[in-house]
Amino acid sequence: EIVLTQSPGTLSLSPGERATLSCRASQSVSSSYLAWYQQKPGQAPRLLIYGASSRATGIPDRFSGSGSGTDFTLTISRLEPEDFAVYYCQQYGSTSVTFGQGTRLEIK
Amino acid sequence: QVTLKESGPVLVKPTETLTLTCTVSGFSLSNARMGVSWIRQPPGKALEWLAHIFSNDEKSYSTSLKSRLTISKDTSKSQVVLTMTNMDPVDTATYYCARTTYTYYYYYMDVWGKGTTVTVSS
């Protein structure tokens, strides 16, 4: 089973700043099968990015994804107040799915 | 509009079997390369994938929970059912179902239900 490790655990930034979130896999992941989700308190997760770099429907272009192999990144170019939430990466491989442990993005 | 809704007991006793139902609308469980996943989230913790089932009846399960899980679907009722045996207090969580797209190029969960909270306690 592939383990996804997200860093940092918590990221403290101010609105307008750039956020860079990391997701590292214990073995190589197909970029096609790497996704990112946003979760706000009391809500279900929301798909942001699939295929490592494709934005889901309705997701603002300040969100971007990149990476390949074992290292993937979610970047939020200019933080808006509504972007402060928990972010998860997820992979599918060998018929199994795993999520990272999440990065909490909090207001500084 | 695509929606998914989870239903099931709020409280189960240790050792009992949990049965959860996901009722979908706005898409068919017979759509090619489309299916439903179950994911859970203990209070204050991360998401944990449990299982998925696709239109061709392909099923996969979490490695660590495989012996306790069964997923099935009733296309005519637009429902996906997950059963988890031998429930324990550590299984207390919010359980989500999510529409899942799986092609040669992508795998992602694009529409989620609101979740149902299950507490395991005697």
Side-chain angles (χ1 to χ4, degrees), chain A residues 12 14 24 30 48 50 57 61 67 75 78 89-90 97-98 107:
Chain A
S12 299
S14 300
R24 178 161 290 178
S30 168
L48 297 176
Y50 64 94
T57 303
D61 60 7
T75 301
R78 286 181 57 86
C89 56
Q90 168 255 308
V97 176
T98 51
I107 299 177

Side-chain angles (χ1 to χ4, degrees), chain A residues 1 30-35 37 39 42-47 49-51 54 88 90-92 95-102 104, chain B residues 39 41 44-49 52 54 58-64 96 102-115:
Chain A
E1 182 177 275
S30 168
S31 296
S32 296
Y33 298 148
L34 193 288
Y37 301 84
Q39 187 179 33
Q43 296 184 17
R46 177 175 71 145
L47 175 68
I49 300 288
Y50 64 94
S54 297
Y88 295 95
Q90 168 255 308
Q91 70 80 35
Y92 169 74
T95 74
S96 181
V97 176
T98 51
F99 286 91
Q101 85 280 15
R104 180 178 304 278
Chain B
I39 306 97
Q41 186 172 39
K45 296 189 176 180
L47 302 169
E48 178 183 21
W49 177 78
H52 70 216
F54 287 103
E58 173 189 335
K59 306 167 189 175
S60 288
Y61 296 98
S62 161
T63 303
S64 60
Y96 297 99
Y102 171 40
T103 71
Y104 177 79
Y105 298 104
Y106 303 119
Y107 180 103
Y108 55 84
M109 304 169 204
D110 64 337
V111 185
W112 293 60
K114 295 184 185 302

Side-chain angles (χ1 to χ4, degrees), chain B:
Chain B
Q1 182 190 6
V2 174
T3 63
L4 298 92
K5 186 172 183 179
E6 306 88 349
S7 59
V10 174
L11 179 66
V12 297
K13 291 181 169 53
T15 76
E16 288 186 340
T17 294
L18 172 68
T19 299
L20 296 172
T21 301
C22 177
T23 302
V24 310
S25 63
F27 74 102
S28 171
L29 295 175
S30 62
N31 283 8
R33 311 317 299 167
M34 202 165 278
V36 170
S37 296
W38 283 96
I39 306 97
R40 71 178 179 180
Q41 186 172 39
K45 296 189 176 180
L47 302 169
E48 178 183 21
W49 177 78
L50 300 177
H52 70 216
I53 187 167
F54 287 103
S55 56
N56 61 358
D57 216 37
E58 173 189 335
K59 306 167 189 175
S60 288
Y61 296 98
S62 161
T63 303
S64 60
L65 294 168
K66 186 173 185 176
S67 63
R68 299 172 55 203
L69 296 173
T70 302
I71 192 169
S72 62
K73 65 181 174 73
D74 185 330
T75 302
S76 64
K77 293 183 178 179
S78 296
Q79 291 181 334
V80 174
V81 175
L82 181 76
T83 62
M84 180 181 293
T85 61
N86 194 25
M87 293 292 285
D88 183 272
V90 299
D91 297 314
T92 294
T94 296
Y95 287 76
Y96 297 99
C97 60
R99 186 177 75 167
T100 303
T101 295
Y102 171 40
T103 71
Y104 177 79
Y105 298 104
Y106 303 119
Y107 180 103
Y108 55 84
M109 304 169 204
D110 64 337
V111 185
W112 293 60
K114 295 184 185 302
T116 186
T117 299
V118 178
T119 300
V120 184
S121 175
S122 55

